[in-house]
Amino acid sequence: DAGVTQSPTHLIKTRGQHVTLRCSPISGHKSVSWYQQVLGQGPQFIFQYYEKEERGRGNFPDRFSARQFPNYSSELNVNALLLGDSALYLCASSLWTGVISGNTIYFGEGSWLTVV
Amino acid sequence: TQLLEQSPQFLSIQEGENLTVYCNSSSVFSSLQWYRQEPGEGPVLLVTVVTGGEVKKLKRLTFQFGDARKDSSLHITAAQPGDTGLYLCAGALYQGAQKLVFGQGTRLTINP
């Protein structure tokens, strides 16, 4: 079975530009979350979507937005890119929302974004 | 703000030695997950511990969840060069949203 897939794997953008990152969850998983991992740090929670609704948002500016589609895939959009947005953006999926036993969260390999 | 402090941040030891990585928090987590991450890749799940005091073993790796579900440890016995990598602990919270709070990571190097 395919795991969490993300695209693109690497991209370079210029300050002020916009970027869209895409994620396909594991088949049957309805929850998708996005995390930002800056070099040398652990991932930071950005968004969670479940059944196409935003369930939570981390401490990120409004330049960051996301959505989930009927097939449970998701997009993360970042506007007005800053140098500090350079990071590995990770998508994670799980069967449902909540943290009860059995609802393991699985990560994709990430999209490396470099802002120059 | 929920914080998960992971220590040590860097550890370099010789093959065959034992080591322990710690994650501590003042927050109570519903569960705690340990991941391993290779350079340029996403975190790969090693184990999930759910019950306070739970101990899980994965070959030479032993994971323990604290009784109060605020802390966890990862112990590696007889470390091998293949254990080299970044180890991340992540506490699971549910506050209307499913959220993982990650530690800073432990970069482990096992020297042959």
Side-chain angles (χ1 to χ4, degrees):
Chain A
D1 288 341
V4 179
T5 57
Q6 294 186 241
S7 64
T9 54
H10 295 80
L11 69 166
I12 300 173
K13 291 285 189 177
T14 304
R15 276 180 299 175
Q17 284 189 316
H18 162 270
V19 68
T20 297
L21 307 178
R22 296 177 175 84
C23 171
S24 292
I26 293 171
S27 178
H29 285 195
K30 298 183 178 180
S31 173
V32 170
S33 300
W34 288 92
Y35 288 78
Q36 180 197 64
Q37 186 176 22
V38 175
L39 199 62
Q41 298 182 16
Q44 297 288 319
F45 174 77
I46 309 176
F47 285 111
Q48 188 219 352
Y49 277 78
Y50 179 69
E51 289 283 16
K52 302 176 287 296
E53 292 187 0
E54 180 183 309
R55 287 303 189 97
R57 182 188 186 108
N59 188 25
F60 281 82
D62 291 343
R63 299 185 296 108
F64 288 76
S65 63
R67 55 180 175 168
Q68 187 177 32
F69 299 99
N71 66 353
Y72 302 108
S73 67
S74 178
E75 284 184 353
L76 175 68
N77 296 282
V78 187
N79 293 323
L81 285 167
L82 303 174
L83 295 179
D85 295 331
S86 296
L88 177 66
Y89 288 85
L90 295 162
C91 176
S93 78
S94 62
L95 282 167
W96 53 79
T97 191
V99 292
I100 60 176
S101 178
N103 192 32
T104 301
I105 299 169
Y106 297 93
F107 283 83
E109 297 208 344
S111 294
W112 278 102
L113 171 65
T114 301
V115 182
V116 297
Chain B
T1 303
Q2 298 85 13
L3 293 176
L4 195 55
E5 295 188 1
Q6 189 171 343
S7 62
Q9 282 190 270
F10 300 92
L11 184 59
S12 179
I13 62 172
Q14 293 300 119
E15 181 178 0
E17 293 183 354
N18 301 332
L19 66 108
T20 302
V21 177
Y22 299 94
C23 275
N24 295 287
S25 176
S26 57
S27 298
V28 176
F29 296 107
S30 300
S31 64
L32 195 135
Q33 304 190 184
W34 283 91
Y35 293 87
R36 178 175 164 177
Q37 187 176 23
E38 302 296 338
E41 299 181 7
V44 174
L45 181 68
L46 296 174
V47 78
T48 300
V49 284
V50 178
T51 307
E54 182 176 3
V55 177
K56 282 192 175 179
K57 292 190 175 184
L58 187 65
K59 296 183 180 179
R60 293 175 295 100
L61 280 60
T62 301
F63 305 86
Q64 184 163 8
F65 202 11
D67 290 342
R69 305 206 319 274
K70 295 181 179 181
D71 54 89
S72 182
S73 63
L74 157 61
H75 182 77
I76 301 180
T77 303
Q80 299 177 1
D83 296 328
T84 294
L86 179 67
Y87 290 82
L88 294 161
C89 62
L93 295 169
Y94 185 70
Q95 300 168 325
Q98 173 197 64
K99 175 182 176 181
L100 288 178
V101 176
F102 280 85
Q104 307 97 311
T106 295
R107 188 158 297 282
L108 176 64
T109 303
I110 309 299
N111 303 299

